[in-house]
Amino acid sequence: KDLRPPVISLMLSPGLGLFMAVLVQMTITGKSFIGGNMEIALAANLTASSRLWQDAAGIPRFSSRNCHIALVSVKTKVPSSVLPKVMSKFLDSTLQKVLPCLLCPAVDAVLNLVNAKFTTMTSEIPLGTAGTLQYALLNPPLTSETFIELDLKTILHQKEGKEVGLPMEQSSLASLPPKRDAATQLILSADFLSSELSVLQTSFNLEISNNMVLGLPPLVTTMLGALIPEISRVLPPLQPVVIEMREAKAPVVTISPDKSLVQLFSTAEFWVSPSDSAPESLFVLDI
């Protein structure tokens, strides 16, 4: 009874992984082996280190090691017939044997939950219906005194299953933005963003017809004639117009310290749809 919330301290161990110290306070009640009720109030300090490594599938993993339990204080209420010093010595030796088996598995259970999160990080992510994205570790995890760095490689597949080639060069730490305290940072390269947009390239294709885009005047030949007078002389007014947008080549992403730029290259082909004949292409704009 009276199991208090643990007090947890975490520190990064450079080159290793994670060090944790957990203060556990609880009260144990039950029957004494010589009869009568017995109550033990104890405080124990659990210390454990965990190694952060990379498995064969390229997934980061935590594994626990060096779990120790140190008794901070033990207070007992025992039957009056028991000698306090004898009982204290017995409790101390017994608890030193029992507590590691009771508390150290809790460390493993917590690390298993974290490892399960890492496993989902490397599962395939659908990019709509255009393809999939998957992450895997490019290098073993790097642990310093202030942060953990995970260098990820990205695996892009088009919907047909074909893998999209990506440059393998990684930016050096000196060229990355400064690390902010108590924050998680995700650094994405321009090459990756360009490749991801290229997988989504066909998703940018669309046909714009009347009433599809709010705020535009009706998409009819009269509207085009106000912009291009030659159209009014060769086409009847009020004929429906459809704009067919098609991506012309792969998008390009450029990143600099001051700004980022995404260039999308497409064509806009204008079609007129007479009621009594097949659609006719009027002109094509490069955008």
Side-chain angles (χ1 to χ4, degrees):
K1 70 174 187 179
D2 191 26
L3 178 61
R4 301 183 189 178
V7 180
I8 303 173
S9 301
L10 297 176
M11 290 182 291
L12 295 178
S13 299
L16 178 63
L18 196 64
F19 175 81
M20 64 188 79
V22 184
L23 178 63
V24 180
Q25 301 175 80
M26 67 177 77
T27 301
I28 302 172
T29 62
K31 297 290 185 180
S32 169
F33 59 86
I34 60 172
N37 294 324
M38 184 174 177
E39 188 173 280
I40 308 169
L42 67 89
N45 196 33
L46 179 154
T47 57
S49 59
S50 58
R51 183 171 71 95
L52 181 58
W53 53 287
Q54 174 184 353
D55 68 9
I59 303 174
R61 294 285 184 196
F62 275 115
S63 58
S64 63
R65 52 194 290 181
N66 302 328
C67 180
H68 299 287
I69 306 292
L71 288 172
V72 178
S73 66
V74 179
K75 297 179 180 179
T76 59
K77 293 181 180 179
V78 298
S80 58
S81 58
V82 180
L83 294 174
K85 288 187 177 180
V86 174
M87 179 56 69
S88 295
K89 187 175 181 180
F90 171 76
L91 281 176
D92 187 70
S93 62
T94 302
L95 290 172
Q96 290 283 9
K97 297 175 183 177
V98 171
L99 286 178
C101 299
L102 180 67
L103 299 178
C104 286
V107 176
D108 293 326
V110 172
L111 293 180
N112 286 338
L113 291 174
V114 177
N115 288 335
K117 296 288 187 183
F118 281 142
T119 301
T120 59
M121 182 194 79
T122 57
S123 58
E124 280 196 339
I125 304 166
L127 298 174
T129 59
T132 60
L133 166 65
Q134 192 172 10
Y135 293 106
L137 277 178
L138 184 63
N139 301 303
L142 173 65
T143 306
S144 72
E145 293 181 353
T146 55
F147 64 87
I148 295 174
E149 180 187 341
L150 300 178
D151 290 334
L152 302 175
K153 67 176 179 180
T154 49
I155 305 168
L156 281 169
H157 283 99
Q158 297 173 341
K159 64 180 178 180
E160 300 85 3
K162 181 181 178 182
E163 185 173 341
V164 179
L166 283 171
M168 297 303 291
E169 294 82 8
Q170 296 293 301
S171 299
S172 65
L173 279 177
S175 65
L176 296 179
K179 177 74 177 69
R180 299 194 305 272
D181 292 337
T184 298
Q185 287 180 280
L186 177 64
I187 310 298
L188 299 176
S189 70
D191 289 329
F192 163 67
L193 293 173
S194 293
S195 299
E196 186 176 22
L197 286 174
S198 70
V199 171
L200 297 170
Q201 190 172 343
T202 56
S203 303
F204 303 139
N205 295 337
L206 71 156
E207 293 183 1
I208 303 173
S209 57
N210 208 13
N211 300 324
M212 274 190 63
V213 183
L214 297 178
L216 280 181
L219 292 177
V220 292
T221 49
T222 307
M223 182 267 290
L224 288 180
L227 302 173
I228 308 172
E230 291 82 356
I231 289 180
S232 298
R233 293 195 286 268
V234 298
L235 292 176
L238 300 177
Q239 293 292 318
V241 173
V242 174
I243 307 173
E244 187 180 81
M245 304 290 294
R246 292 291 181 266
E247 287 304 302
K249 60 180 180 178
V252 175
V253 177
T254 307
I255 298 177
S256 68
D258 298 323
K259 65 179 179 180
S260 299
L261 182 68
V262 179
Q263 292 175 286
L264 301 175
F265 307 93
S266 65
T267 59
E269 187 167 6
F270 287 70
W271 295 79
V272 64
S273 300
S275 56
D276 55 350
S277 61
E280 178 186 352
S281 176
L282 298 177
F283 55 88
V284 177
L285 295 179
D286 290 325
I287 301 177

